Amino acid sequence: MALLDWRSPEHFDHSGDQPCVICTKPTPLRSDRGKPVHKVCAEDWTDRHRTPEDGQ
């Protein structure tokens, strides 16, 4: 399973929760691109969309 490093403060939005783009439950977390998403949802999505060319 992919483990994302979200220790950076940019991954937490202090302005409030928004619906996760994957599961639609509220989250204060944001992806590298600023999309609201739970870390576990992003890790699961990454695993499901990984290709053999990714080297994993």
Side-chain angles (χ1 to χ4, degrees):
M1 170 167 251
L3 295 176
L4 302 174
D5 181 1
W6 280 17
R7 289 179 280 186
S8 172
E10 290 83 30
H11 289 288
F12 188 85
D13 187 348
H14 293 280
S15 68
D17 291 354
Q18 291 186 10
C20 174
V21 296
I22 297 173
C23 75
T24 70
K25 294 179 182 172
T27 182
L29 299 176
R30 302 295 181 263
S31 71
D32 289 342
R33 295 182 178 178
K35 302 286 185 184
V37 63
H38 297 103
K39 182 177 180 283
V40 295
C41 290
E43 290 169 340
D44 181 57
W45 185 93
T46 299
D47 277 348
R48 288 186 285 113
H49 292 86
R50 186 171 280 164
T51 64
E53 296 85 45
D54 293 332
Q56 301 291 330

